[in-house]
Amino acid sequence: MKIILWFMVLWFPIALFGQRVEMRFQIKDANTQENLTGVTVRYDKTGTRSNLNGIALIKTNEGVHEFIFSYTGYETLTLKLDIKQKQEEIQIQLKPVTKELNITTVSGSRFEKRISEEITSIEVIKPATILSRADNSLDDALQRVPGVDVIDNQVNIRGGSGWSYGAGSRVLVLVDDMPMLTGDAADAKWDFLPLENCEQIEVLKGASSALYGSSALNGVINFRTGFAKSKPHTKIMLYNGLYGNPPDKSWAWWGKQQPGFQGGYLMHAQKFGQLDVVFGSAWFSEDSYLQGDLNRRARGNLNLRYRFKKIQGLTVGINANVQKNKSQTFFFWQPDSIHGDRFLQPFGGLEDTSTTINKNNGFRGNIDPYLTFYARNGGRHTLRTRWFRSNNSIPEKKQSSIADTYFGEYQYQQSIESYNPLLNKLNIVLGWVNSFSNVNGLLYGSHKVFNSAPYLQLEKKFNRLWTTLGARYEINQVDSYKVEKRPVFRAGANYELTKYMFLRASYGQGYRYPSVAERFVETNFGAASVFKNVDLTSETGWSSEIGLKTAYKINSWLGFIDIAGFWMEYKNMMEFNFGFFPPEGSNPYKIDSVQYYLEHFVGFKSINVGRSRINGIDISIMGQGKIIRTVTGRFVFGYTYMNPVLVNPDSNILRNVSGPTHTLKYRYRNSVKMDMELSWKRITWGNTFLYNSFMQNVDETFEATKPKENPIGGSLFQIGTGLPTSVHAFRQKYYKGSFVWDTRLAYQFTPQVKASFIIRNALNTIYAERPALIGPLRNFTLQLLYDM
């Protein structure tokens, strides 16, 4: 009797509902036949996601079922299938949506989402854009992004930071979702990033510390490398360029041998069964228009990814990138450049004992092992690790340093598709990050920096409304100093007003822990000294935004318009200021040598400058379509207005600002950027226009505009170096801002071969990125590309 009862218990549900069947969907892109990872499959009031092989495994009963396949950037597919016990693999092909509003990003939420559904402003740079302009370093490409400026290698978004002598960054740079800032100066090495293997670059505007931690105070730049597709892909690019003469030929120091540059790269990607391989290399050589400034570098990189067949959903991989570089960096022009004839020559000349030229034999390298596992319930487990070394060898100036950073992150993602309204369209991201940096060198001394941070983000969609809540708990320590702990939060919403119009609002807290360089640097650069500040405190702040993104269609033209108003507040903002910093126990009043004062008591030091506020508007417009039947065009336009001000600054802060206003140093109030391109048959003609308004305030030290308020600042700097006179004269002459026009012409010889001729700064505009440094003169580049 018991046997009969057990038989009924086990087999009655099967008789009633049918036998359980395991099904296998192979999901691909309908155009490229590439496997699609992370496709959501909904069925029977539940759901799952496809793994890295594009396979979704499910279990259901025999009979007719409805399956819904959805993926960001693709049309949703609904199928009714009659499931039988012996079910073969089912091929599913999704059609991509080509509209610009369906560009997908991962930086804004750690999930792939349409850019129009994000809660903050995001700009996307595609590799074709970088190629068309012959950019050889990422900072060149970023200069053309609306709302983004790079001032002497230091990036800022919407005026969130200025120029801080290469130390510290309020914008976090990621490569494949992992930080790529050096362990000592916490700065980005733009020429180290492998442009030859660039899949997409995402620029996230606004505080993102809740997602990414310290240094994401002002935003995030995520550089995503690519993987092998179904067909092998080879790309080879070579270029050669020359700098032209300045408008006043008396500035030219080079005689008959024009300064110039050359370089190139190659990349090959291919699948070998379950193994994906991408390798590349790049090289660059430049003798600059700035005397003594040169750059030599060679880079090699490799991406390997293995997708297990027997363990469904498991993928392991390793990425590596190494670069050797030799550089000489121009810092200040000659102090007697008031008439312009020595703007392009270095302060202190070229002799090792006096020059301000920095000579560096450097090395950069990273190795990134990782593991990803897609569970049957659609959850994704990711373990990312990185070793990153930055080695600067500058023995002549006793500024050498080596920084090793070890990074590890575990992350779990779950996207829930359910008929339960509370759980449906719920995305969960949680994880824990740990990093350790070991810094050694003459420039900073020896230091150890530790960071740990758990984080959680929840996203929920209610019909047309996306909502986001995120939190992170930052733990930081340097050496044996006190452990610093701080929570940061983030919230936002995006509402779909119409099919192609989205309204968004967000608020995010920001946080930045001082870098080793800002706290412990002790050096001089020929003109003045730099002092350490071990008591420097962390920056905090918040960023908010309200934005509207809408698509438009005018005849054959499609595009979008994005308008955002932003407001940022910072406390304890860290900036280098020039001042009088006598060491403890010293008596500076017994010293009568100006040079001794400059070397031992007066110089630059990173300090907390109090509260600051930055607000404004950011407008982006994009379009593409036909002008006439055989001519197509596209354009990107951006305008940013910023109001960056110090809030209730004290007299010590104000006397270090060159102008009479409270405007933050090294910011532009107005910025206009536009790129347009026309294509006819095999010919493409493109133009880039960049305008920045006059930089109202710099360090008072460089202009000596306040001799009464700051007698030991600019005045003493003038006596010791002579620089402020020339800087002030230059800023008085070039006070209307800068307008730079680049133009390019390309011809497609075959589907694989294209030649381009690019002229940068075609009008030969004279401008300074920061005091005592002239921006690039007109230059000409010939580029040849093979892409198959």
Side-chain angles (χ1 to χ4, degrees):
M1 188 65 182
K2 289 183 179 180
I3 296 174
I4 295 173
L5 288 174
W6 276 111
F7 181 85
M8 292 176 64
V9 169
L10 291 172
W11 289 98
F12 181 75
I14 297 175
L16 183 62
F17 299 108
Q19 296 186 44
R20 300 288 285 177
V21 179
E22 184 172 280
M23 295 185 57
R24 177 186 173 109
F25 292 107
Q26 176 69 65
I27 308 173
K28 296 186 177 184
D29 182 301
N31 293 342
T32 66
Q33 295 303 301
E34 297 292 336
N35 296 330
L36 296 180
T37 301
V39 176
T40 298
V41 184
R42 294 176 61 192
Y43 65 100
D44 297 346
K45 298 185 180 182
T46 187
T48 188
R49 300 173 77 194
S50 61
N51 60 30
L52 284 171
N53 295 316
I55 293 172
L57 296 174
I58 67 170
K59 281 187 177 182
T60 188
N61 299 317
E62 290 182 320
V64 177
H65 298 266
E66 183 177 82
F67 297 88
I68 302 173
F69 302 85
S70 59
Y71 192 51
T72 304
Y74 287 77
E75 295 179 1
T76 298
L77 177 65
T78 302
L79 293 176
K80 282 191 176 181
L81 299 174
D82 187 3
I83 306 303
K84 299 184 184 216
Q85 182 62 34
K86 292 185 179 180
Q87 187 71 53
E88 295 181 355
E89 180 178 276
I90 299 175
Q91 298 289 323
I92 301 296
Q93 301 203 6
L94 300 184
K95 296 180 180 179
V97 179
T98 58
K99 295 183 178 65
E100 196 69 25
L101 279 174
N102 284 287
I103 291 176
T104 61
T105 65
V106 297
S107 301
S109 59
R110 300 268 187 148
F111 270 95
E112 282 204 346
K113 279 174 67 176
R114 288 191 301 164
I115 193 172
S116 55
E117 294 178 332
E118 296 286 4
I119 62 170
T120 56
S121 294
I122 295 182
E123 302 284 348
V124 174
I125 308 173
K126 292 291 187 179
T129 303
I130 297 172
L131 262 178
S132 69
R133 299 168 182 158
D135 296 324
N136 63 69
S137 181
L138 182 56
D139 54 329
D140 292 332
L142 292 173
Q143 290 282 28
R144 291 154 179 79
V145 176
V148 179
D149 292 297
V150 183
I151 300 174
D152 194 19
N153 293 319
Q154 290 193 272
V155 65
N156 77 76
I157 297 175
R158 294 172 172 172
S161 56
W163 176 59
S164 58
Y165 308 86
S169 176
R170 295 189 183 96
V171 177
L172 181 60
V173 178
L174 307 172
V175 174
D176 294 328
D177 301 318
M178 289 184 287
M180 191 61 86
L181 297 179
T182 59
D184 47 12
D187 65 337
K189 303 302 182 185
W190 303 111
D191 59 21
F192 177 59
L193 304 185
L195 292 181
E196 60 273 18
N197 184 23
C198 173
E199 182 73 18
Q200 182 166 290
I201 300 164
E202 299 166 9
V203 181
L204 175 59
K205 302 177 182 179
S208 304
S209 294
L211 264 183
Y212 296 103
S214 180
S215 292
L217 188 68
N218 185 217
V220 171
I221 296 170
N222 192 3
F223 185 103
R224 296 168 59 187
T225 60
F227 288 100
K229 306 295 192 298
S230 57
K231 295 181 180 179
H233 181 202
T234 301
K235 187 163 54 177
I236 302 174
M237 190 264 285
L238 300 171
Y239 57 91
N240 201 303
L242 286 175
Y243 287 102
N245 289 321
D248 186 339
K249 291 185 179 179
S250 66
W251 296 15
W253 51 267
W254 47 79
K256 295 182 180 180
Q257 184 66 41
Q258 296 292 132
F261 51 90
Q262 52 275 323
Y265 67 67
L266 67 87
M267 185 278 297
H268 180 74
Q270 188 170 351
K271 288 179 179 288
F272 298 91
Q274 299 300 109
L275 180 66
D276 302 341
V277 179
V278 182
F279 65 85
S281 68
W283 58 96
F284 178 73
S285 177
E286 178 188 36
D287 291 287
S288 173
Y289 62 98
L290 299 169
Q291 188 181 31
D293 189 283
L294 61 83
N295 197 328
R296 311 278 190 269
R297 64 177 183 262
R299 179 175 64 238
N301 47 79
L302 176 69
N303 285 16
L304 298 174
R305 183 174 71 175
Y306 185 78
R307 295 164 286 116
F308 285 83
K309 264 188 175 181
K310 294 184 178 180
I311 308 175
Q312 287 295 331
L314 178 63
T315 299
V316 298
I318 186 168
N319 299 341
N321 188 23
V322 294
Q323 177 173 291
K324 189 77 175 70
N325 58 277
K326 176 183 178 181
S327 64
Q328 296 182 184
T329 306
F330 188 103
F331 200 68
F332 285 145
W333 64 42
Q334 284 280 17
D336 56 350
S337 297
I338 188 169
H339 301 296
D341 56 347
R342 303 184 78 179
F343 277 140
L344 307 182
Q345 298 176 50
F347 181 92
L350 297 177
E351 293 294 327
D352 289 342
T353 55
S354 59
T355 187
T356 52
I357 293 283
N358 266 353
K359 299 179 181 179
N360 182 10
N361 286 303
F363 170 82
R364 316 270 182 263
N366 69 276
I367 300 175
D368 306 344
Y370 66 91
L371 177 151
T372 302
F373 178 70
Y374 279 87
R376 284 179 176 270
N377 65 353
R380 186 175 79 174
H381 302 264
T382 304
L383 179 63
R384 302 184 184 96
T385 62
R386 166 170 288 160
W387 167 73
F388 175 36
R389 167 167 286 190
S390 174
N391 183 1
N392 297 304
S393 179
I394 315 173
E396 294 89 349
K397 295 186 177 294
K398 298 181 179 180
Q399 295 178 357
S400 299
S401 67
I402 297 177
D404 288 305
T405 298
Y406 304 88
F407 175 88
E409 177 184 14
Y410 167 76
Q411 183 185 102
Y412 177 74
Q413 293 185 5
Q414 178 71 63
S415 180
I416 299 176
E417 299 286 340
S418 172
Y419 289 94
N420 184 329
L422 294 177
L423 297 177
N424 188 41
K425 297 290 184 181
L426 175 64
N427 293 339
I428 302 170
V429 181
L430 58 90
W432 197 301
V433 169
N434 286 281
S435 68
F436 171 77
S437 294
N438 188 24
V439 179
N440 291 284
L442 298 173
L443 191 57
Y444 314 114
S446 297
H447 302 281
K448 293 176 171 55
V449 184
F450 171 76
N451 168 259
S452 184
Y455 61 88
L456 170 68
Q457 176 160 295
L458 302 176
E459 289 189 340
K460 177 74 173 72
K461 189 172 186 181
F462 301 92
N463 295 323
R464 295 184 175 187
L465 177 67
W466 271 107
T467 58
T468 300
L469 288 172
R472 186 182 182 105
Y473 192 69
E474 281 281 316
I475 305 169
N476 288 282
Q477 185 180 27
V478 57
D479 299 332
S480 59
Y481 289 84
K482 183 179 178 181
V483 176
E484 184 171 297
K485 302 177 182 179
R486 188 178 300 274
V488 285
F489 300 94
R490 180 185 193 227
N494 184 305
Y495 184 73
E496 187 176 353
L497 296 170
T498 67
K499 188 176 182 180
Y500 298 117
M501 183 180 292
F502 299 81
L503 178 67
R504 66 181 184 274
S506 64
Y507 169 86
Q509 292 181 324
Y511 166 72
R512 187 169 79 87
Y513 192 68
S515 67
V516 168
E518 289 166 305
R519 263 187 167 158
F520 301 108
V521 62
E522 284 189 291
T523 187
N524 66 75
F525 45 82
S529 297
V530 182
F531 302 106
K532 66 180 179 180
N533 183 3
V534 298
D535 298 320
L536 199 63
T537 59
S538 297
E539 294 178 345
T540 59
W542 56 267
S543 172
S544 62
E545 173 185 311
I546 296 177
L548 179 72
K549 184 184 287 286
T550 182
Y552 69 86
K553 185 176 187 300
I554 303 175
N555 296 324
S556 66
W557 281 75
L558 292 171
F560 70 80
I561 302 171
D562 189 285
I563 302 174
F566 58 89
W567 191 294
M568 298 180 283
E569 298 260 358
Y570 297 107
K571 291 181 181 179
N572 295 324
M573 179 177 276
M574 293 177 275
E575 289 194 349
F576 278 90
N577 273 258
F578 192 88
F580 182 55
F581 305 111
E584 286 187 27
S586 64
N587 188 355
Y589 302 103
K590 292 185 178 181
I591 308 299
D592 56 6
S593 166
V594 170
Q595 188 62 35
Y596 193 89
Y597 259 85
L598 282 173
E599 291 178 359
H600 295 87
F601 300 104
V602 179
F604 293 92
K605 185 177 184 178
S606 185
I607 63 172
N608 297 107
V609 300
R611 287 183 60 202
S612 59
R613 176 184 300 135
I614 305 166
N615 50 34
I617 59 172
D618 198 355
I619 301 172
S620 295
I621 305 174
M622 173 271 173
Q624 57 187 18
K626 288 186 178 181
I627 297 176
I628 57 177
R629 182 177 298 178
T630 58
V631 178
T632 59
R634 66 159 195 85
F635 75 91
V636 177
F637 170 84
Y639 168 71
T640 306
Y641 168 77
M642 295 167 283
N643 181 36
V645 296
L646 291 161
V647 180
N648 300 323
D650 61 30
S651 57
N652 291 326
I653 301 301
L654 279 179
R655 71 186 183 190
N656 278 288
V657 177
S658 63
T661 68
H662 290 188
T663 302
L664 288 166
K665 296 179 292 186
Y666 304 107
R667 270 77 166 185
Y668 307 111
R669 282 188 174 268
N670 294 278
S671 174
V672 181
K673 304 186 178 188
M674 184 174 183
D675 188 86
M676 55 187 298
E677 199 169 79
L678 300 176
S679 297
W680 175 70
K681 295 184 177 179
R682 298 186 176 189
I683 299 174
T684 301
W685 178 44
N687 294 275
T688 301
F689 306 96
L690 306 174
Y691 169 77
N692 287 317
S693 60
F694 180 64
M695 188 180 285
Q696 292 184 4
N697 286 333
V698 298
D699 282 298
E700 193 276 340
T701 303
F702 292 127
E703 282 204 89
T705 52
K706 298 178 179 179
K708 293 182 179 180
E709 297 95 324
N710 194 16
I712 61 171
S715 299
L716 193 58
F717 198 63
Q718 170 64 30
I719 295 171
T721 68
L723 275 170
T725 299
S726 63
V727 172
H728 182 70
F730 181 91
R731 285 172 55 79
Q732 288 290 306
K733 183 176 181 179
Y734 300 98
Y735 66 92
K736 295 183 179 180
S738 62
F739 175 77
V740 176
W741 167 42
D742 301 341
T743 187
R744 58 189 184 271
L745 186 67
Y747 185 81
Q748 193 82 44
F749 288 96
T750 71
Q752 296 80 31
V753 179
K754 182 171 72 172
S756 303
F757 181 63
I758 301 107
I759 305 175
R760 290 178 179 249
N761 193 5
L763 300 178
N764 219 9
T765 300
I766 295 297
Y767 65 98
E769 292 183 347
R770 49 85 170 166
L773 181 69
I774 295 291
L777 304 175
R778 179 193 293 137
N779 56 89
F780 311 88
T781 303
L782 183 63
Q783 175 183 271
L784 183 65
L785 173 67
Y786 173 83
D787 191 347
M788 184 180 74

Short mmCIF file of all heavy atoms in Angstrom, two decimals, residues 40-58:
data_model
loop_
_atom_site.label_atom_id
_atom_site.label_comp_id
_atom_site.label_asym_id
_atom_site.label_seq_id
_atom_site.Cartn_x
_atom_site.Cartn_y
_atom_site.Cartn_z
N THR A 40 17.76 37.90 -21.68
CA THR A 40 16.74 37.46 -20.72
C THR A 40 15.70 36.59 -21.42
O THR A 40 15.18 36.97 -22.47
CB THR A 40 16.05 38.67 -20.08
OG1 THR A 40 17.03 39.43 -19.37
CG2 THR A 40 14.97 38.24 -19.11
N VAL A 41 15.43 35.43 -20.83
CA VAL A 41 14.42 34.50 -21.35
C VAL A 41 13.34 34.34 -20.28
O VAL A 41 13.61 33.83 -19.19
CB VAL A 41 15.02 33.13 -21.71
CG1 VAL A 41 13.97 32.23 -22.34
CG2 VAL A 41 16.21 33.29 -22.65
N ARG A 42 12.12 34.78 -20.57
CA ARG A 42 11.02 34.68 -19.61
C ARG A 42 10.05 33.58 -20.04
O ARG A 42 9.70 33.48 -21.23
CB ARG A 42 10.27 36.01 -19.51
CG ARG A 42 11.09 37.14 -18.92
CD ARG A 42 10.34 38.45 -18.94
NE ARG A 42 9.11 38.38 -18.16
CZ ARG A 42 8.15 39.30 -18.18
NH1 ARG A 42 8.27 40.35 -18.97
NH2 ARG A 42 7.07 39.16 -17.43
N TYR A 43 9.59 32.78 -19.06
CA TYR A 43 8.66 31.69 -19.35
C TYR A 43 8.07 31.23 -18.02
O TYR A 43 8.72 31.30 -16.97
CB TYR A 43 9.38 30.54 -20.05
CG TYR A 43 10.41 29.86 -19.18
CD1 TYR A 43 10.14 28.67 -18.51
CD2 TYR A 43 11.67 30.46 -18.98
CE1 TYR A 43 11.09 28.07 -17.70
CE2 TYR A 43 12.62 29.86 -18.16
CZ TYR A 43 12.32 28.66 -17.52
OH TYR A 43 13.24 28.07 -16.70
N ASP A 44 6.86 30.76 -18.05
CA ASP A 44 6.21 30.12 -16.89
C ASP A 44 6.41 30.91 -15.58
O ASP A 44 6.78 30.36 -14.55
CB ASP A 44 6.75 28.70 -16.69
CG ASP A 44 6.46 27.79 -17.86
OD1 ASP A 44 5.62 28.17 -18.70
OD2 ASP A 44 7.07 26.72 -17.95
N LYS A 45 6.22 32.22 -15.63
CA LYS A 45 6.34 33.08 -14.45
C LYS A 45 7.74 33.07 -13.83
O LYS A 45 7.92 33.35 -12.66
CB LYS A 45 5.31 32.69 -13.39
CG LYS A 45 3.86 32.83 -13.85
CD LYS A 45 2.91 32.54 -12.72
CE LYS A 45 1.46 32.69 -13.19
NZ LYS A 45 0.49 32.45 -12.11
N THR A 46 8.74 32.74 -14.63
CA THR A 46 10.13 32.77 -14.16
C THR A 46 11.01 33.19 -15.33
O THR A 46 10.51 33.61 -16.38
CB THR A 46 10.55 31.39 -13.60
OG1 THR A 46 11.84 31.51 -13.03
CG2 THR A 46 10.55 30.33 -14.68
N GLY A 47 12.32 33.06 -15.16
CA GLY A 47 13.20 33.48 -16.24
C GLY A 47 14.64 33.08 -15.97
O GLY A 47 15.01 32.63 -14.88
N THR A 48 15.48 33.25 -16.99
CA THR A 48 16.91 32.99 -16.89
C THR A 48 17.62 33.88 -17.90
O THR A 48 16.97 34.67 -18.61
CB THR A 48 17.23 31.51 -17.14
OG1 THR A 48 18.59 31.27 -16.84
CG2 THR A 48 16.95 31.11 -18.59
N ARG A 49 18.96 33.75 -17.98
CA ARG A 49 19.73 34.56 -18.93
C ARG A 49 20.73 33.66 -19.65
O ARG A 49 21.17 32.64 -19.10
CB ARG A 49 20.48 35.68 -18.20
CG ARG A 49 19.57 36.64 -17.47
CD ARG A 49 20.37 37.62 -16.63
NE ARG A 49 20.96 38.66 -17.45
CZ ARG A 49 21.92 39.48 -17.03
NH1 ARG A 49 22.42 39.34 -15.82
NH2 ARG A 49 22.39 40.41 -17.81
N SER A 50 21.10 34.04 -20.86
CA SER A 50 22.07 33.27 -21.64
C SER A 50 23.48 33.50 -21.10
O SER A 50 23.81 34.58 -20.61
CB SER A 50 22.00 33.66 -23.12
OG SER A 50 22.32 35.02 -23.30
N ASN A 51 24.33 32.47 -21.21
CA ASN A 51 25.69 32.58 -20.71
C ASN A 51 26.61 33.14 -21.80
O ASN A 51 26.16 33.59 -22.85
CB ASN A 51 26.18 31.22 -20.20
CG ASN A 51 26.18 30.14 -21.28
OD1 ASN A 51 26.36 30.43 -22.46
ND2 ASN A 51 25.98 28.89 -20.88
N LEU A 52 27.92 33.09 -21.54
CA LEU A 52 28.88 33.69 -22.47
C LEU A 52 28.94 32.96 -23.81
O LEU A 52 29.47 33.49 -24.78
CB LEU A 52 30.27 33.72 -21.84
CG LEU A 52 30.47 34.81 -20.78
CD1 LEU A 52 31.78 34.62 -20.05
CD2 LEU A 52 30.42 36.19 -21.40
N ASN A 53 28.42 31.74 -23.87
CA ASN A 53 28.34 31.02 -25.14
C ASN A 53 27.03 31.29 -25.86
O ASN A 53 26.75 30.68 -26.90
CB ASN A 53 28.49 29.51 -24.91
CG ASN A 53 29.85 29.15 -24.37
OD1 ASN A 53 30.86 29.64 -24.86
ND2 ASN A 53 29.89 28.30 -23.35
N GLY A 54 26.20 32.18 -25.31
CA GLY A 54 24.91 32.47 -25.89
C GLY A 54 23.88 31.39 -25.65
O GLY A 54 22.86 31.33 -26.35
N ILE A 55 24.12 30.55 -24.66
CA ILE A 55 23.22 29.41 -24.40
C ILE A 55 22.39 29.68 -23.14
O ILE A 55 22.93 30.08 -22.11
CB ILE A 55 24.02 28.11 -24.23
CG1 ILE A 55 24.67 27.74 -25.57
CG2 ILE A 55 23.13 26.96 -23.74
CD1 ILE A 55 25.63 26.59 -25.48
N ALA A 56 21.09 29.46 -23.25
CA ALA A 56 20.18 29.54 -22.10
C ALA A 56 19.59 28.16 -21.86
O ALA A 56 18.99 27.56 -22.77
CB ALA A 56 19.07 30.55 -22.37
N LEU A 57 19.78 27.62 -20.67
CA LEU A 57 19.25 26.31 -20.29
C LEU A 57 18.06 26.49 -19.35
O LEU A 57 18.14 27.23 -18.38
CB LEU A 57 20.33 25.49 -19.58
CG LEU A 57 21.56 25.12 -20.41
CD1 LEU A 57 22.59 24.43 -19.54
CD2 LEU A 57 21.18 24.22 -21.58
N ILE A 58 16.96 25.81 -19.68
CA ILE A 58 15.77 25.90 -18.82
C ILE A 58 15.15 24.52 -18.65
O ILE A 58 15.42 23.60 -19.43
CB ILE A 58 14.71 26.86 -19.43
CG1 ILE A 58 14.15 26.26 -20.71
CG2 ILE A 58 15.28 28.24 -19.66
CD1 ILE A 58 12.94 27.01 -21.23
#
